[in-house]
Amino acid sequence: IDCLMNINLLYWAAEETGEEDFRGRGFAHFNTTMRNVIREDGSSFQNFFFDQATGAPLGGGTKQGLSETSCWSRGQAWGVIGVPLTYSYMKNDEILDKYYKIVNYYLSNLPTDKVAYWDLDFIYGDEPRDTSAAAIAVCGLHEAVRTMPLSDEKKMEYKKAADEIMLSL
């Protein structure tokens, strides 16, 4: 999932060099990530494996989250910001529905004070918090409002969520 923070370097390289192949490779990698790393419910795997010989998808896992089936909060926050960053370069509306799922999963799995635990499977208890995930999500929500063609309702929802998280931080 963290590749969503790096793909933008390829879009930038395309603009700086005029080599459109960088943009195409970046967007292809983005789409592969969205297809394989983002689960149907909008949660994310921290990493994903492919067969080295055939390129066939093998499945997701984690080295940071609670388990293979849980959702590491910082990785999910990278999805919250990574998608709008790609949108700012590619202007592809087909990614909106998946983005709504990513954000909804993140926001729906926050504790009442809005600062995520280190894994989104926790919504209460004594587990450590991930303030970095919270700050990244705030940036992502603001980036979405700034760059994506959201409805006024979604813009208000995302601004409110960002403000609540920031206030809690």
Side-chain angles (χ1 to χ4, degrees), residues 144-157:
V145 167
R146 187 178 74 78
T147 63
M148 297 177 84
L150 305 175
S151 68
D152 289 343
E153 182 180 313
K154 277 284 182 217
K155 285 182 181 184
M156 287 178 27
E157 175 188 342

Side-chain angles (χ1 to χ4, degrees), residues 157-168:
E157 175 188 342
Y158 289 0
K159 283 180 187 177
K160 181 178 186 269
D163 288 348
E164 289 173 348
I165 294 167
M166 194 67 201
L167 182 63
S168 190

